[in-house]
Amino acid sequence: QVQLVESGGGLVKAGGSLRLSCAASGRIFSINTMGWYRQAPGKQREVVAEISRGGSTNYEDSVKGRFTISRDNAKNTVYLQMNSLKPEDTAVYYCNAGLILAATLSLGEYWGQGTQVTVSS
């Protein structure tokens, strides 16, 4: 059984910072792209940032220059450093990973349970 466990959410004032972490565990052969998504109340889930196994990154336009995604392949962990937070960043943040299972060598997409980020004005 594969699990993605997120941590690091919370309440912060505008202009503050938070760091999210997401660790994948289980019988994993390898992890391809990892990413962070968010969903605000009444809105669709949207991609925030993605990172390939080799370290190539993509960011949603509104977070460019403020958020940084990184990963530690040895620890099967992805991070999201969020600086200069704004109230509009308030959402539930979800970790996502495309990974290959060790038992079957099949590719699957997995999600974390979500962590709340609230930015007050």
Side-chain angles (χ1 to χ4, degrees):
Q1 188 76 4
V2 173
Q3 282 190 314
L4 272 61
V5 179
E6 299 129 337
S7 61
L11 173 64
V12 65
K13 292 183 178 180
S17 298
L18 284 174
R19 189 190 193 213
L20 305 183
S21 299
C22 171
S25 62
R27 299 188 64 189
I28 299 169
F29 179 76
S30 69
I31 302 178
N32 298 334
T33 298
M34 303 186 82
W36 289 95
Y37 288 67
R38 66 186 179 187
Q39 187 167 19
K43 295 188 177 181
Q44 288 188 330
R45 189 175 297 189
E46 63 175 3
V47 60
V48 175
E50 294 180 311
I51 184 167
S52 70
R53 182 171 181 81
S56 297
T57 58
N58 287 301
Y59 295 94
E60 194 269 330
D61 285 345
S62 70
V63 308
K64 287 180 180 177
R66 300 189 298 121
F67 291 9
T68 302
I69 189 171
S70 61
R71 64 189 285 175
D72 184 333
N73 290 331
K75 296 181 179 179
N76 287 342
T77 299
V78 63
Y79 307 96
L80 186 68
Q81 178 66 44
M82 304 185 292
N83 298 328
S84 301
L85 282 160
K86 304 175 180 180
E88 50 264 44
D89 294 317
T90 296
V92 177
Y93 283 70
Y94 296 90
C95 173
N96 173 273
L99 57 87
I100 299 174
L101 299 177
T104 61
L105 297 183
S106 60
L107 177 66
E109 184 178 31
Y110 293 82
W111 293 89
Q113 79 285 358
T115 185
Q116 178 69 47
V117 171
T118 302
V119 184
S120 63
S121 57

